[in-house]
Amino acid sequence: MRKKALFAAAAVCAIGAAIAVAALYPRGDVPAHIAVFTPDGINPELIGKVAGAHINVFEPGLLEGQLQKVVGSNTRVDLDLGPVLNRIRPPAQLTTEYGMDAQRQRKLLAPLASNKLRDIPPDPEAIAILRPYMELIQRYQAQVATVFVADEPYLNGISKAELERTAKTLRMLFAEYQIQNVKLGVIFASGMVNADFARMVDREASRYVRSIDQYYQALSEKAQAGTAAADELQWLQHIEKHRLTTYDSAGNMYLAGGLPQGYDLFGFDFYLSTVLQDALYENMLPELQKHAPRGACEIEKFSKVSELRAQLSFYQDGPIVPPAAGNGNASIDSARDKDRRLLDQLYTCRMAAATNMLRKEIAKANSKAKIILVTESSNNGVLEFDARQNIEPGQPQLLIESRVLDEVKRALTFYDKERKRGDIEALEFFTFDNTYDKSIHLNIGGFVDMPSVKAHIFKASEQMMCRSHPKPQAALACQ
């Protein structure tokens, strides 16, 4: 899951959009709701502690075991059907051109079978896949809150029309299986619901392709001339099969933006780790300024994410807390204070802009859909890195945990403020368990082993659950 968004133009249009959103979502009672995205399954420690557990669906037997875990508890389950419903797009069906309009160029490298582009199968095949899961949802519908059909669909090439077709199919199956009070949802990457922002992401992906192809061409010529060094020849072999999936995604993303009809819940993820490490977002700050409230995206006047990243104490060469320019005796506290200030600004900027973009698209679609905010509670963005973003040895676990706690606090503060609008249904944290993300080949440390983060999230969730249930179960120990 990842990324973020843009800003409109004229003040009249902005005011009109705000009025439209306010009409759709008057200040109202949307129960506060904290969920945790736990892809591989529900850790028993979460049950009764959070209102929602979001899991990936892999096969019926495993799913039934997960649903049985929460029977009789206050925790409901969100199901991501993407792993069983979405299939990898065959390399032969990938566009091998990148760039915009007259500047389009053909990629030098053939697409990989392990690309991140996805397709949803035709209705007859989709229905056959879905039926066993519909039977389970029917049986455990008191435990199921939302069904999600695809993760980051536009970034991964699934179009608005395909999402609408799938929504119709699922609505038909819900009616057939008498499934009620289960919502349909989609979680997008960053600001991909906005067409301008999506095109910005694709431009950055094209920039990556161009850099790879230019280097590949130069080394190929050296190899043909017999002047390539051994490491250069090794790179030529390596890049054929091992490279960022961004290479194949360029030119294959869905860039038209907008929201599909037929859904009850729309969300976006815009993780700190993604923003700081993914080159797709290097030039996002000017785009975000167009959509965020006035003053929310100043971020020390940086225009590039790399400029901001270079100011963070944990993306530096040398000791954990490098000396400040000019004095040589900066304290840990001053370095952490500077980090917090920058990351506070970055959180407000990206989340406010992406939320505004999503609200605008919901109003434009004349939808009554609610919003889910997906935020980070894992450590992979706040480890100690060198200036080239390589993970350094000897990680200071307590310091890393404190950075994760800071990000969690930012999320809760933002959620508490924004939900007063009446259109934010939930705040979801990623992730609880330690996990391995195959798509980026990285071990991700969840908050299962971070006592302060766990206590903070569980306490906030318990308070929200107590307020949301007139007669809460004794297990909640509501005061």
Side-chain angles (χ1 to χ4, degrees):
M1 300 182 155
R2 322 176 187 216
K3 298 125 198 170
K4 223 156 195 162
L6 280 93
F7 186 75
V12 173
C13 294
I15 293 170
I19 292 171
V21 170
L24 279 170
Y25 302 113
R27 295 174 72 94
D29 293 330
V30 176
H33 182 116
I34 286 182
V36 175
F37 183 33
T38 174
D40 297 329
I42 304 169
N43 188 307
E45 197 172 350
L46 292 173
I47 298 172
K49 299 288 183 60
V50 293
H54 186 158
I55 64 172
N56 284 337
V57 173
F58 298 106
E59 58 103 341
L62 289 175
L63 175 58
E64 183 163 21
Q66 295 296 308
L67 293 172
Q68 287 174 343
K69 287 182 181 182
V70 300
V71 171
S73 76
N74 289 314
T75 301
R76 297 180 74 197
V77 184
D78 297 325
L79 308 179
D80 189 337
L81 294 176
V84 294
L85 186 59
N86 307 162
R87 58 191 182 190
I88 296 176
R89 186 172 300 174
Q93 295 180 17
L94 265 61
T95 298
T96 56
E97 292 185 338
Y98 67 97
M100 296 289 180
D101 304 325
Q103 299 179 339
R104 290 183 71 77
Q105 300 180 53
R106 185 167 296 280
K107 300 173 185 178
L108 296 181
L109 302 174
L112 296 175
S114 59
N115 66 81
K116 288 190 71 174
L117 281 302
R118 295 293 182 265
D119 290 317
I120 299 176
D123 286 346
E125 185 179 345
I127 290 170
I129 292 170
L130 291 168
R131 284 198 182 281
Y133 301 104
M134 294 300 107
E135 292 172 4
L136 283 171
I137 295 171
Q138 179 190 47
R139 209 178 321 153
Y140 292 93
Q141 56 187 298
Q143 281 71 50
V144 178
T146 306
V147 168
F148 292 94
V149 301
D151 183 38
E152 301 182 336
Y154 291 175
L155 185 71
N156 295 325
I158 298 175
S159 71
K160 177 172 172 281
E162 285 295 275
L163 292 174
E164 290 178 337
R165 173 177 68 83
T166 306
K168 290 178 182 177
T169 301
L170 279 163
R171 295 288 182 194
M172 179 201 71
L173 289 170
F174 280 8
E176 179 182 338
Y177 285 86
Q178 299 180 316
I179 296 170
Q180 300 176 346
N181 301 319
V182 174
K183 298 177 181 179
L184 282 184
V186 181
I187 293 178
F188 296 93
S190 57
M192 293 293 289
V193 297
N194 178 279
D196 289 337
F197 188 86
R199 285 192 287 268
M200 182 274 294
V201 170
D202 190 57
R203 282 196 301 272
E204 297 303 314
S206 296
R207 194 190 308 272
Y208 172 73
V209 173
R210 191 176 301 112
S211 68
I212 293 293
D213 280 1
Q214 288 175 347
Y215 192 57
Y216 183 86
Q217 183 68 38
L219 290 193
S220 295
E221 291 173 359
K222 288 181 70 174
Q224 290 174 1
T227 59
D231 60 334
E232 292 175 328
L233 292 173
Q234 185 177 22
W235 185 90
L236 284 172
Q237 293 180 344
H238 182 85
I239 202 67
E240 295 275 359
K241 295 182 179 177
H242 304 285
R243 56 179 182 262
L244 293 180
T245 56
T246 302
Y247 187 95
D248 290 330
S249 296
N252 288 282
M253 302 175 195
Y254 179 73
L255 307 180
L259 293 176
Q261 298 289 328
Y263 291 87
D264 309 296
L265 192 63
F266 293 113
F268 66 89
D269 58 68
F270 213 167
Y271 302 136
L272 176 63
S273 57
T274 301
V275 170
L276 292 179
Q277 298 175 29
D278 194 330
L280 290 179
Y281 299 98
E282 167 69 356
N283 294 298
M284 73 172 187
L285 295 177
E287 297 292 344
L288 295 180
Q289 288 173 2
K290 299 176 184 177
H291 290 277
R294 184 181 297 275
C297 278
E298 295 304 315
I299 315 187
E300 308 284 330
K301 305 296 184 181
F302 297 128
S303 62
K304 296 180 180 295
V305 171
S306 58
E307 296 170 351
L308 183 152
R309 186 174 59 237
Q311 298 300 312
L312 296 171
S313 69
F314 51 97
Y315 278 89
Q316 304 283 344
D317 291 331
I320 289 176
V321 183
N327 62 38
N329 61 1
S331 69
I332 290 178
D333 286 342
S334 64
R336 288 185 64 192
D337 287 344
K338 182 179 179 181
D339 290 345
R340 284 195 186 103
R341 185 181 73 250
L342 291 174
L343 297 181
D344 285 351
Q345 293 172 349
L346 182 58
Y347 193 94
T348 299
C349 175
R350 71 183 192 273
M351 295 300 285
T355 303
N356 282 357
M357 281 188 285
L358 186 51
R359 280 178 170 142
K360 184 176 179 181
E361 295 298 335
I362 289 172
K364 192 186 302 182
N366 196 28
S367 169
K368 293 184 179 180
K370 295 293 190 286
I371 294 172
I372 178 171
L373 306 173
V374 185
T375 195
E376 198 159 36
S377 58
S378 52
N379 67 9
N380 56 314
V382 294
L383 299 171
E384 290 290 328
F385 297 86
D386 64 23
R388 292 158 299 285
Q389 299 167 256
N390 299 309
I391 297 175
E392 294 185 324
Q395 295 291 320
Q397 296 304 323
L398 290 178
L399 185 56
I400 291 167
E401 181 175 335
S402 73
R403 294 173 189 150
V404 176
L405 180 60
D406 286 342
E407 188 75 357
V408 164
K409 289 178 177 179
R410 291 180 192 107
L412 288 165
T413 299
F414 183 82
Y415 174 54
D416 190 56
K417 175 178 175 288
E418 291 296 318
R419 65 177 295 271
K420 294 173 184 176
R421 294 278 293 269
D423 59 343
I424 309 288
E425 177 158 309
L427 173 66
E428 181 171 291
F429 288 102
F430 175 80
T431 177
F432 183 70
D433 290 302
N434 302 321
T435 188
Y436 181 75
D437 190 329
K438 296 178 182 177
S439 67
I440 55 176
H441 307 293
L442 183 67
N443 288 306
I444 298 174
F447 67 90
V448 63
D449 294 325
M450 302 182 202
S452 64
V453 178
K454 186 191 303 183
H456 199 83
I457 291 175
F458 284 175
K459 182 178 179 180
S461 178
E462 179 182 287
Q463 291 172 344
M464 292 180 188
M465 291 170 76
C466 286
R467 291 198 299 266
S468 300
H469 293 276
K471 296 181 179 179
Q473 294 185 13
L476 286 175
C478 299
Q479 299 297 318

